[in-house]
Amino acid sequence: MTQRRLLIVEDDANFARTLGRSFERRDYAVAMLPGPDGLDAAVRDFRPDHAVVDLRLGGASGLTCVAALHALDPEIKIVVLTGFASIATAVEAIKLGATNYLTKPANTDDIEAAFARVAGDADATIAPAPPTSIKTLEWEHIHQTLADVDFNISEAARRLGMHRRTLARKLDKRHMG
């Protein structure tokens, strides 16, 4: 059996290193990038068959990495990890070629299971939808606007009609809470 090759695209160096070590213990060869720069060369030289991509990469969107990885190798299994989950970004990630989409914290078991789940399940249980809270509606609207402007905080704030700092505080509060 050939060794599986995993590319981790994550701007949090400590998290990337920890995740990388965990996958190395599971017999993966691992390469890491802090963002989209160097992605073409990494795919060409390392030839990963799996990838874990963070949704927010500093000032860049992980969705651009998903699209680029899928364009370079349509067979690569891509899992998007995020602390900023929304329905809008989950749908976009899958449309762009991600195999799965997980919220942080996700461990190695969760990620490996997500790699294995490449097909949908038509028999999945559909739970009744709970009423959506105002906070959730606000967050989904903010996140959809952020996704529309490729995570440009200033432009999102302008479109939402709020001050950039107010939006930044809301994002920080949501990220911490």
Side-chain angles (χ1 to χ4, degrees), residues 21-66:
R21 276 194 230 117
S22 182
F23 273 98
E24 285 170 341
R25 284 191 294 273
R26 292 176 185 226
D27 263 352
Y28 284 79
V30 176
M32 293 178 235
L33 289 173
D37 294 340
L39 196 60
D40 291 354
V43 170
R44 182 184 64 245
D45 300 338
F46 182 63
R47 298 173 19 112
D49 46 23
H50 295 77
V52 174
V53 179
D54 189 14
L55 182 63
R56 273 181 77 176
L57 298 165
S61 168
L63 294 177
T64 59
C65 293
V66 170

Side-chain angles (χ1 to χ4, degrees), residues 43 76 80 96 99 123 151 161 163:
V43 170
I76 191 170
V80 174
L96 292 169
T99 304
D123 295 326
F151 294 90
H163 194 279

